[in-house]
Amino acid sequence: MSDMSNLKTSSEPRGIRNNNPCNLVHLDRNKWQGLADPPTDGRFCVFVSPIYGLRAAALNLIAYQDRQGLRTIQAIVERWAPPSENDVAAYVASIRAQTGISPDRFIDVHSYNDIRPLLAAMIRHENGLQPYTDAQIDKALTMAGVEPPMQSMRKSRTVKGGQVAGAAGAATTVAGALSEWAPALPAVEFIKNNLGLVLIVAGAAVLAGVGYMIWARFDDRRKGLR
């Protein structure tokens, strides 16, 4: 049986509760990755985690463009939320207000800069809120084949921690070297006279950088991003 630990409480909107934030209807032909067991809540898909629901929504938008030639918000919304069941005008107005994209402007959902705001706006309109982090949405888009233009939060946080540790380690080395070969320079007189303090501060920075890297990895694993 699939892991259902990430499913939300019944008091939350259906899309959030089902980890299906754009309320994809379950069709037997769509064997989405990450479907729960059972895979539906009535008509609607249920996923084991938000990442899979976000990924499926992104892939559905890509299919609309690639297979049906839908390249505008107006056309996408009319297909996603047909007039027989939804207020299309209100849906389109909501997306426009959130993204600033004209309903008739051509977009490319293979482009992160187009699909990212569209997906976030659809989540908010479908549920009344958009509770997911940038890292979760970026992870789902990457899984759908749309690479963010910058590194993910996990990578950037880990790299930043490494940079802090590396810079502090370098500072320790430089401080020691300066005390040996440049004792006469006024600019390094303080370092020379307070080398012990400098080394303590640099050592603490190294530990802080390494600790931040470890925390970032643990935090991402807790959020299901790794």
Side-chain angles (χ1 to χ4, degrees):
M1 179 171 290
S2 300
D3 177 12
M4 302 293 287
S5 60
N6 287 316
L7 289 180
K8 310 300 180 181
T9 64
S10 59
S11 63
E12 292 180 300
R14 178 180 57 212
I16 306 303
R17 184 174 69 244
N18 290 340
N19 293 320
N20 178 16
C22 288
N23 288 311
L24 290 171
V25 173
H26 180 73
L27 300 173
D28 289 337
R29 67 174 181 270
N30 291 334
K31 305 298 183 182
W32 297 117
Q33 290 183 19
L35 280 173
D37 183 15
T40 65
D41 173 10
R43 299 168 52 208
F44 298 96
C45 295
V46 180
F47 293 93
V48 297
S49 76
I51 298 295
Y52 287 106
L54 292 164
R55 171 188 176 272
L59 286 173
N60 216 44
L61 289 170
I62 290 169
Y64 279 6
Q65 176 173 309
D66 291 352
R67 299 177 187 176
Q68 302 179 40
L70 305 182
R71 297 291 304 274
T72 67
I73 289 174
Q74 184 72 40
I76 289 169
V77 170
E78 287 177 356
R79 177 68 179 84
W80 195 285
S84 58
E85 300 178 5
N86 300 272
D87 185 342
V88 172
Y91 204 138
V92 170
S94 173
I95 301 302
R96 180 173 190 170
Q98 294 182 66
T99 65
I101 300 173
S102 171
D104 297 321
R105 178 171 77 78
F106 269 36
I107 61 174
D108 179 8
V109 294
H110 288 283
S111 166
Y112 176 88
N113 290 332
D114 281 348
I115 195 173
R116 173 64 173 79
L118 173 59
L119 182 59
M122 291 177 68
I123 293 167
R124 186 175 296 279
H125 183 79
E126 292 276 349
N127 301 281
L129 70 160
Q130 198 297 92
Y132 306 111
T133 66
D134 290 344
Q136 287 176 303
I137 294 177
D138 285 356
K139 176 69 172 180
L141 289 175
T142 299
M143 291 169 63
V146 181
E147 291 285 347
M150 300 176 64
Q151 290 179 317
S152 69
M153 181 182 71
R154 178 183 64 82
K155 291 182 179 178
S156 64
R157 293 194 307 181
T158 303
V159 168
K160 286 178 181 177
Q163 288 172 339
V164 170
T172 304
T173 302
V174 170
L178 285 173
S179 69
E180 294 179 3
W181 62 262
L185 291 177
V188 298
E189 190 66 22
F190 176 82
I191 294 177
K192 176 186 174 184
N193 294 334
N194 299 276
L195 182 59
L197 177 61
V198 171
L199 293 176
I200 290 172
V201 172
V206 171
L207 293 176
V210 172
Y212 184 72
M213 292 169 63
I214 295 171
W215 173 83
R217 289 181 179 275
F218 172 80
D219 187 51
D220 289 336
R221 187 179 296 277
R222 179 178 62 83
K223 293 177 180 176
L225 300 178
R226 297 183 67 239

